[in-house]
Amino acid sequence: MPMPLPMPLPPSRRKDEQKPLVFDASLLQHELNIPPQFIWPDDEKPCPNKPSPPLLMPHIDLGSFRSGDPLAVSNATRLANEACRRHGFFLVVNHGIDLSLIREAQRTLVSFFAMPLSEKQRAQRQLGDHCGYASSFTKRFSSKLPWKETLSFRYCADKKSSNIVEDYFLNVMGENFRNFGRVYQEYSEAMSNLSLVIMELLGMSLGIGPTHFRDFFEENDSIMRLNYYPPCQKPDQTLGTGPHCDPTSLTILHEDDVGGLEVFVDEKWHSIRPNSEAFVVNIGDTFMALSNGVYKSCLHRAVVNNQTARQSLAFFLSPKMDKVVSPPKELIESQYPRLYPDFTWSTFLEFTQKHYRADKKTLDAFANWLQDKNN
Ligand SMILES: C=C1C[C@]23C[C@@]1(O)CC[C@H]2[C@]1(C)CCC[C@@](C)(C(=O)O)[C@H]1[C@@H]3C(=O)O
Ligand SMILES: O=C(O)CCC(=O)C(=O)O
Ligand SMILES: [Fe+2]
Protein backbone atom coordinates (compact mmCIF):
# COMPACT_ATOMS: atom_id res chain seq x y z
CA MET A 1 0.00 0.00 0.00
CA PRO A 2 1.81 3.17 -1.23
CA MET A 3 2.26 5.96 1.36
CA PRO A 4 -0.34 8.72 0.83
CA LEU A 5 1.30 11.92 -0.47
CA PRO A 6 1.35 14.65 2.19
CA MET A 7 -1.48 17.07 1.64
CA PRO A 8 -0.08 20.38 0.30
CA LEU A 9 -0.31 22.97 3.04
CA PRO A 10 -2.86 25.71 2.32
CA PRO A 11 -1.04 28.85 1.00
CA SER A 12 -1.37 30.63 4.36
CA ARG A 13 0.53 27.87 6.17
CA ARG A 14 3.28 27.10 3.67
CA LYS A 15 6.60 26.93 5.57
CA ASP A 16 8.23 29.72 3.60
CA GLU A 17 5.41 32.08 4.56
CA GLN A 18 5.88 31.30 8.23
CA LYS A 19 9.41 32.72 8.25
CA PRO A 20 9.36 35.91 10.36
CA LEU A 21 9.22 38.95 8.12
CA VAL A 22 12.52 40.84 8.20
CA PHE A 23 12.73 44.48 7.13
CA ASP A 24 16.01 44.54 5.21
CA ALA A 25 15.70 47.88 3.46
CA SER A 26 18.63 47.08 1.17
CA LEU A 27 16.45 44.32 -0.31
CA LEU A 28 12.87 45.43 0.28
CA GLN A 29 13.14 48.81 -1.42
CA HIS A 30 13.95 47.10 -4.74
CA GLU A 31 11.05 44.67 -4.69
CA LEU A 32 8.12 45.67 -6.89
CA ASN A 33 5.50 44.76 -4.30
CA ILE A 34 5.83 45.61 -0.66
CA PRO A 35 4.74 43.03 1.93
CA PRO A 36 1.07 43.53 2.94
CA GLN A 37 2.10 44.13 6.57
CA PHE A 38 3.50 47.52 5.48
CA ILE A 39 0.33 48.63 3.69
CA TRP A 40 -1.76 50.95 5.87
CA PRO A 41 -5.58 51.07 5.87
CA ASP A 42 -7.16 53.46 3.36
CA ASP A 43 -8.22 55.92 6.07
CA GLU A 44 -4.60 56.26 7.28
CA LYS A 45 -2.76 56.21 3.91
CA PRO A 46 -1.03 59.47 2.94
CA CYS A 47 -2.51 61.32 -0.06
CA PRO A 48 0.50 62.23 -2.28
CA ASN A 49 -1.70 63.92 -4.88
CA LYS A 50 -3.09 66.20 -2.19
CA PRO A 51 0.03 67.71 -0.53
CA SER A 52 -0.53 68.67 3.12
CA PRO A 53 -0.57 72.44 3.69
CA PRO A 54 2.38 73.77 5.75
CA LEU A 55 1.91 74.01 9.52
CA LEU A 56 2.23 77.63 10.69
CA MET A 57 4.59 77.31 13.65
CA PRO A 58 6.27 80.11 15.58
CA HIS A 59 10.07 80.40 15.38
CA ILE A 60 11.08 80.90 19.01
CA ASP A 61 14.46 82.61 19.36
CA LEU A 62 15.97 80.84 22.36
CA GLY A 63 19.09 83.01 22.46
CA SER A 64 17.03 86.16 22.85
CA PHE A 65 14.86 84.46 25.50
CA ARG A 66 18.01 83.50 27.44
CA SER A 67 19.32 87.07 27.26
CA GLY A 68 16.57 88.03 29.73
CA ASP A 69 15.59 91.03 27.63
CA PRO A 70 11.99 91.67 28.85
CA LEU A 71 10.56 92.16 25.33
CA ALA A 72 12.28 89.01 24.03
CA VAL A 73 11.10 86.99 27.05
CA SER A 74 7.54 88.20 26.67
CA ASN A 75 7.58 87.48 22.93
CA ALA A 76 8.98 83.96 23.39
CA THR A 77 6.56 83.05 26.19
CA ARG A 78 3.57 84.41 24.26
CA LEU A 79 4.51 82.44 21.10
CA ALA A 80 5.11 79.28 23.15
CA ASN A 81 1.79 79.63 24.99
CA GLU A 82 -0.21 80.13 21.77
CA ALA A 83 1.45 77.20 19.95
CA CYS A 84 1.32 74.77 22.89
CA ARG A 85 -2.36 75.47 23.64
CA ARG A 86 -3.17 74.94 19.97
CA HIS A 87 -1.08 71.96 18.72
CA GLY A 88 2.04 71.65 20.89
CA PHE A 89 4.58 72.20 18.08
CA PHE A 90 7.07 75.05 17.69
CA LEU A 91 10.45 75.68 16.10
CA VAL A 92 13.46 76.67 18.20
CA VAL A 93 16.06 78.82 16.44
CA ASN A 94 19.23 80.55 17.66
CA HIS A 95 19.50 77.51 19.97
CA GLY A 96 23.26 77.69 20.54
CA ILE A 97 23.90 74.01 19.73
CA ASP A 98 27.10 73.54 17.72
CA LEU A 99 26.05 72.91 14.09
CA SER A 100 29.12 70.70 13.55
CA LEU A 101 27.90 68.44 16.39
CA ILE A 102 24.48 68.17 14.72
CA ARG A 103 26.07 67.39 11.36
CA GLU A 104 28.32 64.74 12.94
CA ALA A 105 25.30 63.15 14.69
CA GLN A 106 23.45 63.01 11.35
CA ARG A 107 26.50 61.60 9.53
CA THR A 108 26.99 58.97 12.23
CA LEU A 109 23.33 57.98 11.85
CA VAL A 110 23.91 57.35 8.13
CA SER A 111 26.96 55.20 8.90
CA PHE A 112 25.05 53.08 11.40
CA PHE A 113 22.08 52.32 9.17
CA ALA A 114 24.32 51.71 6.13
CA MET A 115 25.77 48.65 7.90
CA PRO A 116 24.63 45.14 6.95
CA LEU A 117 21.49 44.03 8.81
CA SER A 118 23.43 41.35 10.71
CA GLU A 119 25.74 44.06 12.14
CA LYS A 120 22.81 46.28 13.19
CA GLN A 121 21.07 43.30 14.75
CA ARG A 122 23.89 43.05 17.30
CA ALA A 123 21.96 45.87 18.99
CA GLN A 124 18.63 44.07 18.43
CA ARG A 125 15.88 45.45 20.61
CA GLN A 126 14.18 42.83 22.78
CA LEU A 127 10.40 42.63 23.22
CA GLY A 128 9.32 44.87 26.11
CA ASP A 129 12.55 46.89 26.01
CA HIS A 130 12.62 50.42 24.59
CA CYS A 131 16.33 50.44 23.73
CA GLY A 132 18.11 48.86 20.80
CA TYR A 133 17.84 48.41 17.06
CA ALA A 134 14.41 47.77 15.56
CA SER A 135 13.96 47.02 11.87
CA SER A 136 10.43 48.24 11.48
CA PHE A 137 9.14 46.42 14.55
CA THR A 138 8.59 43.24 12.54
CA LYS A 139 8.97 41.23 15.76
CA ARG A 140 6.55 43.44 17.69
CA PHE A 141 3.67 44.28 15.41
CA SER A 142 2.02 42.17 12.71
CA SER A 143 0.28 44.91 10.69
CA LYS A 144 0.60 48.61 9.86
CA LEU A 145 4.39 48.24 10.04
CA PRO A 146 6.29 51.53 9.79
CA TRP A 147 8.72 51.90 6.86
CA LYS A 148 11.73 52.70 9.03
CA GLU A 149 14.61 51.39 11.07
CA THR A 150 15.34 52.85 14.48
CA LEU A 151 18.09 52.79 17.10
CA SER A 152 17.07 53.93 20.59
CA PHE A 153 19.21 54.27 23.69
CA ARG A 154 18.98 55.78 27.19
CA TYR A 155 20.48 59.09 28.26
CA CYS A 156 20.60 59.90 32.00
CA ALA A 157 21.51 63.41 33.13
CA ASP A 158 22.65 62.44 36.64
CA LYS A 159 26.36 62.66 37.43
CA LYS A 160 26.88 58.90 37.96
CA SER A 161 25.66 58.18 34.42
CA SER A 162 28.05 60.57 32.70
CA ASN A 163 29.14 57.92 30.14
CA ILE A 164 25.92 55.93 29.77
CA VAL A 165 25.63 56.49 26.00
CA GLU A 166 29.31 55.83 25.28
CA ASP A 167 29.14 52.66 27.40
CA TYR A 168 26.01 51.52 25.57
CA PHE A 169 27.76 51.59 22.18
CA LEU A 170 30.91 49.96 23.61
CA ASN A 171 29.00 47.16 25.35
CA VAL A 172 26.50 46.49 22.58
CA MET A 173 28.50 47.17 19.43
CA GLY A 174 32.13 46.89 20.59
CA GLU A 175 35.35 48.93 20.71
CA ASN A 176 35.06 50.02 17.05
CA PHE A 177 31.96 52.01 17.98
CA ARG A 178 33.57 54.04 20.76
CA ASN A 179 33.42 57.16 18.55
CA PHE A 180 29.71 56.57 17.79
CA GLY A 181 29.20 56.56 21.55
CA ARG A 182 31.18 59.76 22.02
CA VAL A 183 29.17 61.58 19.34
CA TYR A 184 25.80 60.61 20.82
CA GLN A 185 26.96 61.14 24.42
CA GLU A 186 27.82 64.73 23.49
CA TYR A 187 24.69 65.19 21.39
CA SER A 188 22.40 63.81 24.11
CA GLU A 189 24.02 66.09 26.74
CA ALA A 190 23.43 69.06 24.45
CA MET A 191 19.78 68.02 24.00
CA SER A 192 19.31 67.58 27.76
CA ASN A 193 20.70 71.07 28.45
CA LEU A 194 18.58 72.55 25.66
CA SER A 195 15.46 70.86 27.05
CA LEU A 196 16.05 72.46 30.49
CA VAL A 197 16.08 75.93 28.88
CA ILE A 198 12.87 75.03 27.04
CA MET A 199 11.38 73.91 30.38
CA GLU A 200 12.18 77.38 31.77
CA LEU A 201 10.38 78.88 28.76
CA LEU A 202 7.35 76.58 29.20
CA GLY A 203 7.17 77.29 32.95
CA MET A 204 7.20 81.03 32.35
CA SER A 205 4.70 80.73 29.47
CA LEU A 206 2.31 78.94 31.87
CA GLY A 207 2.81 81.65 34.47
CA ILE A 208 4.45 79.39 37.07
CA GLY A 209 8.00 80.70 36.71
CA PRO A 210 11.23 79.24 35.24
CA THR A 211 12.27 76.78 37.95
CA HIS A 212 9.35 74.38 38.52
CA PHE A 213 9.63 72.26 35.38
CA ARG A 214 13.37 72.84 35.05
CA ASP A 215 13.91 71.29 38.48
CA PHE A 216 11.50 68.44 37.65
CA PHE A 217 13.62 67.44 34.63
CA GLU A 218 17.07 68.37 36.01
CA GLU A 219 18.00 64.71 36.45
CA ASN A 220 16.12 63.45 33.41
CA ASP A 221 16.18 59.83 32.24
CA SER A 222 15.54 60.31 28.52
CA ILE A 223 15.53 58.35 25.27
CA MET A 224 17.66 59.24 22.24
CA ARG A 225 16.31 57.79 19.02
CA LEU A 226 17.80 57.65 15.52
CA ASN A 227 15.14 57.30 12.80
CA TYR A 228 16.07 56.09 9.32
CA TYR A 229 13.40 55.98 6.60
CA PRO A 230 14.58 54.19 3.41
CA PRO A 231 13.01 55.29 0.12
CA CYS A 232 9.81 53.34 -0.57
CA GLN A 233 8.65 52.28 -4.01
CA LYS A 234 5.01 52.80 -2.97
CA PRO A 235 5.02 55.84 -0.66
CA ASP A 236 1.27 56.24 -0.99
CA GLN A 237 0.74 52.79 0.57
CA THR A 238 2.85 53.01 3.70
CA LEU A 239 4.03 55.33 6.48
CA GLY A 240 7.49 55.96 7.97
CA THR A 241 5.92 56.42 11.40
CA GLY A 242 2.20 55.98 11.94
CA PRO A 243 -0.14 58.57 13.52
CA HIS A 244 0.75 58.93 17.20
CA CYS A 245 1.25 61.26 20.12
CA ASP A 246 4.64 60.99 21.83
CA PRO A 247 4.06 59.47 25.31
CA THR A 248 7.20 61.22 26.60
CA SER A 249 7.39 64.80 27.96
CA LEU A 250 9.08 66.86 25.25
CA THR A 251 10.55 65.87 21.88
CA ILE A 252 13.45 67.78 20.35
CA LEU A 253 13.72 66.68 16.73
CA HIS A 254 16.38 67.47 14.15
CA GLU A 255 15.38 66.62 10.59
CA ASP A 256 17.79 66.53 7.66
CA ASP A 257 16.69 68.39 4.53
CA VAL A 258 14.14 65.76 3.47
CA GLY A 259 10.60 66.59 4.56
CA GLY A 260 8.09 64.08 5.85
CA LEU A 261 6.93 65.08 9.33
CA GLU A 262 3.21 65.93 9.41
CA VAL A 263 0.97 67.17 12.24
CA PHE A 264 -2.82 66.69 12.47
CA VAL A 265 -4.39 70.07 13.28
CA ASP A 266 -7.99 71.27 12.60
CA GLU A 267 -8.89 67.83 11.24
CA LYS A 268 -6.20 68.04 8.53
CA TRP A 269 -2.59 66.84 8.07
CA HIS A 270 -0.09 69.71 7.87
CA SER A 271 3.51 69.36 6.69
CA ILE A 272 6.54 70.74 8.51
CA ARG A 273 9.12 72.27 6.22
CA PRO A 274 12.58 70.89 7.08
CA ASN A 275 14.98 73.46 8.54
CA SER A 276 18.39 72.04 9.44
CA GLU A 277 19.31 75.16 11.46
CA ALA A 278 16.33 74.69 13.78
CA PHE A 279 14.87 72.05 16.10
CA VAL A 280 11.23 71.00 15.91
CA VAL A 281 9.97 70.81 19.49
CA ASN A 282 6.69 69.19 20.51
CA ILE A 283 4.81 68.61 23.75
CA GLY A 284 4.38 64.92 24.66
CA ASP A 285 1.64 63.17 26.64
CA THR A 286 3.54 63.32 29.93
CA PHE A 287 3.94 67.11 29.73
CA MET A 288 0.28 67.45 28.68
CA ALA A 289 -0.57 65.67 31.98
CA LEU A 290 1.93 67.88 33.89
CA SER A 291 0.16 70.96 32.50
CA ASN A 292 -3.23 69.47 33.46
CA GLY A 293 -4.19 69.40 29.79
CA VAL A 294 -3.51 73.11 29.15
CA TYR A 295 -0.70 72.30 26.66
CA LYS A 296 -1.48 69.74 23.95
CA SER A 297 0.34 66.57 22.91
CA CYS A 298 -0.58 66.40 19.26
CA LEU A 299 -1.06 63.66 16.67
CA HIS A 300 1.75 63.49 14.13
CA ARG A 301 3.25 61.04 11.60
CA ALA A 302 6.12 60.71 9.13
CA VAL A 303 5.51 60.02 5.42
CA VAL A 304 8.15 58.51 3.11
CA ASN A 305 9.00 59.07 -0.57
CA ASN A 306 10.27 57.03 -3.52
CA GLN A 307 13.36 59.13 -4.21
CA THR A 308 15.55 59.52 -1.18
CA ALA A 309 16.05 58.25 2.35
CA ARG A 310 14.99 60.49 5.23
CA GLN A 311 16.52 60.61 8.69
CA SER A 312 15.82 62.33 12.01
CA LEU A 313 17.37 62.60 15.47
CA ALA A 314 14.69 62.54 18.19
CA PHE A 315 15.52 63.34 21.84
CA PHE A 316 12.59 62.28 24.04
CA LEU A 317 12.87 64.12 27.35
CA SER A 318 11.52 62.08 30.27
CA PRO A 319 11.72 62.53 34.05
CA LYS A 320 13.46 60.08 36.38
CA MET A 321 11.52 56.81 36.38
CA ASP A 322 10.07 57.19 39.88
CA LYS A 323 9.09 60.87 39.63
CA VAL A 324 5.35 61.34 40.17
CA VAL A 325 3.78 63.19 37.26
CA SER A 326 1.33 65.63 38.84
CA PRO A 327 0.47 69.19 37.77
CA PRO A 328 1.61 72.16 39.92
CA LYS A 329 -1.16 73.53 42.15
CA GLU A 330 -1.36 76.74 40.09
CA LEU A 331 -2.69 74.69 37.15
CA ILE A 332 -5.32 72.91 39.23
CA GLU A 333 -7.87 75.69 39.70
CA SER A 334 -11.52 75.04 40.56
CA GLN A 335 -12.50 75.65 36.95
CA TYR A 336 -9.77 73.24 35.75
CA PRO A 337 -10.39 69.90 37.54
CA ARG A 338 -7.67 67.23 37.31
CA LEU A 339 -7.73 65.72 33.80
CA TYR A 340 -5.29 62.85 34.43
CA PRO A 341 -4.38 60.74 37.49
CA ASP A 342 -0.93 60.91 39.10
CA PHE A 343 1.46 58.38 37.53
CA THR A 344 5.17 57.64 37.21
CA TRP A 345 6.94 57.74 33.87
CA SER A 346 8.25 54.19 34.42
CA THR A 347 4.64 52.87 34.61
CA PHE A 348 3.63 54.79 31.49
CA LEU A 349 6.73 53.65 29.57
CA GLU A 350 6.06 50.03 30.54
CA PHE A 351 2.46 50.47 29.35
CA THR A 352 3.66 51.60 25.89
CA GLN A 353 6.13 48.73 25.60
CA LYS A 354 4.16 45.83 27.04
CA HIS A 355 0.47 46.62 26.85
CA TYR A 356 -0.32 49.20 24.19
CA ARG A 357 0.98 50.36 20.80
CA ALA A 358 1.38 54.13 21.14
CA ASP A 359 -1.16 55.85 18.93
CA LYS A 360 -3.56 58.83 19.06
CA LYS A 361 -5.15 57.76 22.33
CA THR A 362 -2.19 56.52 24.36
CA LEU A 363 -2.63 58.76 27.43
CA ASP A 364 -6.41 58.16 27.70
CA ALA A 365 -5.90 54.40 27.25
CA PHE A 366 -3.19 54.51 29.95
CA ALA A 367 -5.43 56.48 32.38
CA ASN A 368 -8.21 53.90 31.89
CA TRP A 369 -5.74 51.00 32.29
CA LEU A 370 -4.44 52.55 35.53
CA GLN A 371 -7.98 53.00 36.86
CA ASP A 372 -8.90 49.36 36.05
CA LYS A 373 -5.65 48.17 37.65
CA ASN A 374 -6.34 50.15 40.86
CA ASN A 375 -10.02 49.11 41.16
C1 LIG B 1 8.43 55.89 24.69
C2 LIG B 1 8.48 55.76 23.37
C3 LIG B 1 7.68 54.81 22.58
C4 LIG B 1 8.02 55.22 21.12
C5 LIG B 1 9.44 55.73 21.24
C6 LIG B 1 9.33 56.59 22.47
O1 LIG B 1 10.58 56.82 23.03
C7 LIG B 1 8.57 57.87 22.11
C8 LIG B 1 7.69 57.73 20.85
C9 LIG B 1 7.05 56.34 20.72
C10 LIG B 1 6.62 55.97 19.28
C11 LIG B 1 7.63 56.54 18.25
C12 LIG B 1 5.23 56.45 18.91
C13 LIG B 1 4.79 55.81 17.58
C14 LIG B 1 4.81 54.28 17.65
C15 LIG B 1 6.19 53.71 18.07
C16 LIG B 1 6.02 52.20 18.28
C17 LIG B 1 7.18 53.85 16.92
O2 LIG B 1 6.74 54.00 15.74
O3 LIG B 1 8.40 53.82 17.14
C18 LIG B 1 6.60 54.42 19.37
C19 LIG B 1 7.91 54.11 20.05
C20 LIG B 1 8.01 52.71 20.66
O4 LIG B 1 9.12 52.17 20.55
O5 LIG B 1 7.04 52.19 21.23
O1 LIG C 1 11.00 61.36 12.05
C1 LIG C 1 10.16 62.25 12.29
O2 LIG C 1 10.09 63.30 11.66
C2 LIG C 1 9.16 62.05 13.44
C3 LIG C 1 9.41 60.78 14.21
C4 LIG C 1 8.50 60.71 15.43
O3 LIG C 1 7.46 61.32 15.51
C5 LIG C 1 8.92 59.87 16.56
O4 LIG C 1 9.95 59.17 16.43
O5 LIG C 1 8.18 59.94 17.61
FE1 LIG D 1 6.63 61.25 17.53
Side-chain angles (χ1 to χ4, degrees), residues 125 137 140-141 146 148 150 223 225 241-242 244-248 316 345 349 352-353 357-358:
R125 182 169 162 178
F137 299 95
R140 191 165 152 211
F141 308 130
K148 70 177 174 182
T150 60
I223 302 163
R225 163 168 282 203
T241 296
H244 69 280
C245 298
D246 292 343
T248 40
F316 295 109
W345 166 239
L349 176 60
T352 67
Q353 299 307 300
R357 174 176 183 174

Side-chain angles (χ1 to χ4, degrees), residues 135-180:
S135 57
S136 186
F137 299 95
T138 48
K139 293 185 172 65
R140 191 165 152 211
F141 308 130
S142 52
S143 69
K144 302 204 299 187
L145 294 185
W147 194 266
K148 70 177 174 182
E149 300 173 69
T150 60
L151 177 68
S152 305
F153 43 89
R154 252 179 96 187
Y155 168 79
C156 293
D158 61 33
K159 303 282 174 290
K160 61 181 187 303
S161 310
S162 55
N163 284 321
I164 186 169
V165 175
E166 197 169 331
D167 293 344
Y168 173 80
F169 277 89
L170 277 178
N171 300 338
V172 170
M173 298 299 291
E175 181 58 38
N176 294 342
F177 290 81
R178 180 183 292 276
N179 192 50
F180 276 47

Side-chain angles (χ1 to χ4, degrees), residues 23-235:
F23 182 74
D24 184 339
S26 59
L27 304 176
L28 258 182
Q29 62 184 297
H30 302 302
E31 288 179 21
L32 186 61
N33 294 317
I34 59 177
Q37 298 91 324
F38 289 93
I39 296 177
W40 285 67
D42 289 347
D43 64 335
E44 293 189 275
K45 280 187 177 78
C47 309
N49 47 17
K50 202 173 71 182
S52 308
L55 179 70
L56 301 178
M57 271 189 304
H59 292 208
I60 294 183
D61 182 325
L62 215 58
S64 303
F65 167 73
R66 296 184 72 171
S67 74
D69 167 71
L71 187 60
V73 169
S74 127
N75 207 20
T77 50
R78 177 179 51 78
L79 290 172
N81 188 284
E82 285 165 3
C84 294
R85 284 176 180 274
R86 193 159 133 67
H87 48 56
F89 275 77
F90 55 91
L91 272 185
V92 161
V93 296
N94 190 17
H95 44 65
I97 305 295
D98 185 343
L99 292 184
S100 61
L101 172 61
I102 300 171
R103 276 194 293 273
E104 193 174 12
Q106 289 283 20
R107 274 199 308 272
T108 306
L109 180 155
V110 173
S111 313
F112 179 84
F113 290 106
M115 295 194 304
L117 182 61
S118 55
E119 276 285 282
K120 292 181 279 191
Q121 285 178 325
R122 286 164 51 203
Q124 181 58 43
R125 182 169 162 178
Q126 301 309 319
L127 269 186
D129 191 350
H130 65 284
C131 291
Y133 169 75
S135 57
S136 186
F137 299 95
T138 48
K139 293 185 172 65
R140 191 165 152 211
F141 308 130
S142 52
S143 69
K144 302 204 299 187
L145 294 185
W147 194 266
K148 70 177 174 182
E149 300 173 69
T150 60
L151 177 68
S152 305
F153 43 89
R154 252 179 96 187
Y155 168 79
C156 293
D158 61 33
K159 303 282 174 290
K160 61 181 187 303
S161 310
S162 55
N163 284 321
I164 186 169
V165 175
E166 197 169 331
D167 293 344
Y168 173 80
F169 277 89
L170 277 178
N171 300 338
V172 170
M173 298 299 291
E175 181 58 38
N176 294 342
F177 290 81
R178 180 183 292 276
N179 192 50
F180 276 47
R182 283 202 187 111
V183 171
Y184 289 119
Q185 181 74 43
E186 189 180 350
Y187 184 84
S188 302
E189 280 165 13
M191 288 302 106
S192 173
N193 295 331
L194 178 61
S195 60
L196 296 182
V197 177
I198 294 170
M199 280 303 154
E200 289 179 15
L201 168 68
L202 296 181
M204 293 180 76
S205 72
L206 280 164
I208 57 168
T211 58
H212 180 82
F213 291 127
R214 180 188 175 100
D215 295 348
F216 188 83
F217 290 100
E218 190 73 39
E219 289 206 329
N220 63 85
D221 186 347
S222 300
I223 302 163
M224 184 67 217
R225 163 168 282 203
L226 316 181
N227 288 310
Y228 181 71
Y229 305 94
C232 179
Q233 55 278 41
K234 295 199 174 167

